[in-house]
Amino acid sequence: MKYGSTVNGLCSKLTSDLDLTILTKHQDSEIVLNDLVGVLKKYGNQRYEFSSPRRDRAGWILNFRDNILLTDIDLMVNKVSEILNSEIIREYSMLDQRFVEVTHFLKAWNK
């Protein structure tokens, strides 16, 4: 499932990545992501560039790039709260355009 700025409408067309999460009953995120790397290597046909899954403050993450769509992708496992947060922010964005404008300003300033 998608989450983050592509869902909440706050993405930048030039610099935003695609945030995805796999929802599974399997609890070991590292194993799930390593299995996915194996599938991508087998069937990706050089479409994807990726590194090994790594642990960050939010859990295990797999960063890779789709060389056809020219998009960076962050893939995590069971990030339900991030999905819900993205939906809440999307609702804020729909209520008042000023929220969107201020958020874009803050994102640019933060870089």
Side-chain angles (χ1 to χ4, degrees):
M1 294 191 74
K2 294 186 296 186
Y3 67 94
S5 61
T6 56
V7 169
N8 62 36
L10 298 175
C11 62
S12 165
K13 292 179 182 175
L14 299 177
T15 60
S16 288
D17 63 358
L18 177 61
D19 298 309
L20 299 173
T21 188
I22 296 173
L23 299 178
T24 178
K25 292 180 183 177
H26 199 295
Q27 295 300 308
D28 192 331
S29 300
E30 182 181 17
I31 290 172
V32 172
L33 293 177
N34 278 315
D35 288 348
L36 181 62
V37 167
V39 170
L40 290 173
K41 283 182 179 179
K42 186 172 182 179
Y43 299 106
N45 296 328
Q46 305 299 321
R47 178 175 181 160
Y48 304 106
E49 286 176 41
F50 51 89
S51 56
S52 296
R54 64 178 172 76
R55 184 146 183 82
D56 82 350
R57 61 182 166 77
W60 285 93
I61 185 168
L62 174 63
N63 305 105
F64 61 102
R65 180 163 181 81
D66 184 321
N67 290 321
I68 293 175
L69 298 176
L70 303 176
T71 302
D72 293 320
I73 301 167
D74 295 339
L75 181 64
M76 298 186 81
V77 178
N78 293 330
K79 293 298 171 182
V80 176
S81 62
E82 283 82 347
I83 294 168
L84 298 174
N85 289 343
S86 297
E87 291 295 326
I88 290 170
I89 292 171
R90 182 175 63 84
E91 292 297 322
Y92 291 153
S93 299
M94 292 171 50
L95 287 172
D96 193 332
Q97 180 61 31
R98 293 175 296 179
F99 177 81
V100 175
E101 293 166 6
V102 168
T103 303
H104 282 294
F105 171 77
L106 291 173
K107 286 174 77 171
W109 174 73
N110 190 39
K111 291 182 182 197

